[in-house]
Amino acid sequence: MVYPVPVGTPGPLIAFIGTNGNVVALLLGIVDLALSVVIYLPFMRLAETIAQAAQAQVGGAKHV
């Protein structure tokens, strides 16, 4: 990082701003964010399935 980055800057923009607008840094940040989401999605789907199964077993209200 060559330039200071303001506190509260979103993660994918930190490298872009810190390198004075390097487009490659921005693209890498976007790719990293997309990869993180792709890795995280199966776990969220599994958690939703487990929650719905538990509610159906107990007879509780449906999850919206």
Side-chain angles (χ1 to χ4, degrees), residues 18-61:
T19 58
N20 196 26
N22 186 344
V23 178
V24 175
L26 177 63
L27 293 176
L28 183 61
I30 292 170
V31 168
D32 287 345
L33 179 62
L35 183 62
S36 304
V37 170
V38 168
I39 290 172
Y40 193 66
L41 273 177
F43 296 102
M44 290 305 300
R45 289 186 180 143
L46 180 63
E48 282 291 321
T49 304
I50 291 171
Q52 288 175 355
Q55 285 179 354
Q57 189 176 32
V58 173

